[in-house]
Amino acid sequence: MSTVVLNGRELSQTLLEEQKEQVAELVRKKGRPPGLAVVLVGQDPASETYVRNKRAACKKVGIHAPDINLDPDVSREKLLGLIDDLNRDPAIDGILVQLPLPAGLDKDAVLFRIDPSKDVDGFHPVNVGKMVIGLDTLTPCTPTGILTLLDRNGVSISGKHAVVLGRSLIVGKPMALLLLSRDATVTVCHSRTARLQEETRRADIVVAAMGKPRMVNADYIKPGAVVIDVGISRGEDGKLVGDVDYPSVFPLASAITPVPGGVGPMTIATLLDNTIRAFCFREGLPLQPPRKHT
Ligand code: GUN
């Protein structure tokens, strides 16, 4: 059986080209580009890289993206005050506070302060609630990007059995909800799941997002399954590795994402798409194709 590599890097470049045209059209219509504030608190090296990549992608498509970098010991009041300012700023349509925050800062207090209409991460309870009840809203970038990657590669979801490994706010929980909204039968597994391999071996689609390098090997996979790897860790040799043992799983899978170059670039392309959607919402323009979450 030949295996399709789900190339997120290539698709994200195509999406960024499309977004560049969309942004130019929006500037013609409204006289300003969409604006995204990516807020980095502290100097976590991985977060610095992610934030640099997000800002560079904005620059590429013409989204206004001011650098906002705060000291790791910034006070809660100052950070919340900054979010209030960004909520009021008419040039800013999206606000993303990079996680994790330094110890001592209350993540929920920060995320809940963001105006839901500018919540391009889709983490605010209003947006999570809208997603649960099936309204078109801003949805988390990584799982939304995975759906785009599947759709654009012609992988059907309806009626499939999807197994999601991990139950985080950022990936696992929203992934399960979004797959359900697309008529998959969904099982969510986590660190306490019994007989994990039995669960995953039933899956037509496996989404590995538990942060355990190379844990998902051939023993976890049904022949012909679609395998999505959200993991991103540094191996002993310094190279990036995912949660999937790529060499052993590749020959079994019908389609698989590489690490790097799979899910990661799709997360960034979706962040820009969410920013454009937030702009359209705030400017009273029709939304780009609606997302169905029934
Ligand atoms: N840290 C890792 N992934 C994410 C994400 O999608 N959004 C934010 N804000 N922080 C992250």
Side-chain angles (χ1 to χ4, degrees):
M1 186 201 320
S2 66
T3 306
V4 174
V5 175
L6 300 170
N7 188 332
R9 181 171 292 138
E10 205 173 274
L11 176 56
S12 74
Q13 290 310 319
T14 305
L15 295 174
L16 261 57
E17 291 299 323
E18 292 173 12
Q19 290 165 347
K20 192 173 175 177
E21 286 175 20
Q22 280 179 322
V23 167
E25 177 65 21
L26 293 174
V27 171
R28 276 194 290 276
K29 272 195 182 134
K30 291 292 174 180
R32 72 171 184 96
L36 173 63
V38 181
V39 179
L40 176 64
V41 186
Q43 283 112 21
D44 176 74
S47 292
E48 281 182 332
T49 304
Y50 297 142
V51 164
R52 195 179 321 116
N53 291 341
K54 288 170 184 177
R55 290 174 180 160
C58 286
K59 206 170 206 180
K60 232 179 200 166
V61 308
I63 288 177
H64 164 62
D67 290 355
I68 304 175
N69 301 321
L70 301 175
D71 289 338
D73 55 0
V74 67
S75 69
R76 171 191 167 102
E77 289 65 37
K78 188 158 179 209
L79 180 52
L80 294 180
L82 168 76
I83 291 171
D84 291 341
D85 291 344
L86 293 169
N87 283 339
R88 281 190 295 265
D89 187 338
I92 294 295
D93 304 284
I95 302 168
L96 178 145
V97 179
Q98 186 67 26
L99 300 176
L101 287 172
L105 283 171
D106 176 0
K107 165 178 76 85
D108 289 344
V110 172
L111 297 181
F112 295 5
R113 191 76 158 228
I114 295 171
D115 180 336
S117 73
K118 296 191 177 188
D119 169 35
V120 284
D121 260 327
F123 294 162
H124 191 285
V126 165
N127 287 320
V128 175
K130 283 183 169 177
M131 178 174 61
V132 170
I133 61 178
L135 299 176
D136 188 14
T137 192
L138 295 166
T139 54
C141 299
T142 298
T144 305
I146 290 170
L147 292 190
T148 307
L149 187 60
L150 294 174
D151 288 344
R152 293 267 191 143
N153 281 279
V155 176
S156 67
I157 299 170
S158 177
K160 298 283 173 64
H161 183 187
V163 172
V164 179
L165 300 174
R167 52 177 159 176
S168 69
L169 165 79
I170 296 180
V171 184
K173 280 183 193 162
M175 185 79 260
L177 283 164
L178 292 175
L179 286 164
L180 187 61
S181 78
R182 300 287 299 275
D183 303 320
T185 302
V186 183
T187 302
V188 182
C189 299
H190 46 79
S191 53
R192 301 289 176 88
T193 297
R195 295 179 295 282
L196 184 58
Q197 290 184 11
E198 278 179 34
E199 300 292 345
T200 57
R201 267 192 255 137
R202 275 198 285 271
D204 303 308
I205 300 172
V206 175
V207 180
M210 63 289 169
K212 298 243 185 294
R214 294 199 184 102
M215 191 189 88
V216 176
N217 59 32
D219 296 338
Y220 288 72
I221 300 299
K222 174 173 79 174
V226 173
V227 181
I228 305 295
D229 191 352
V230 184
I232 167 162
S233 315
R234 288 247 169 232
E236 278 158 23
D237 56 3
K239 286 197 178 144
L240 292 179
V241 288
D243 288 353
V244 174
D245 181 42
Y246 194 87
S248 76
V249 170
F250 183 92
L252 278 176
S254 61
I256 188 168
T257 59
V259 174
V263 172
M266 293 304 298
T267 298
I268 295 185
T270 308
L271 171 64
L272 305 195
D273 186 50
N274 276 355
T275 304
I276 292 170
R277 296 170 79 85
F279 174 100
C280 291
F281 175 73
R282 297 187 60 245
E283 291 285 354
L285 294 170
L287 283 179
Q288 311 299 322
R291 295 185 190 143
K292 176 182 158 281
H293 309 294
T294 48

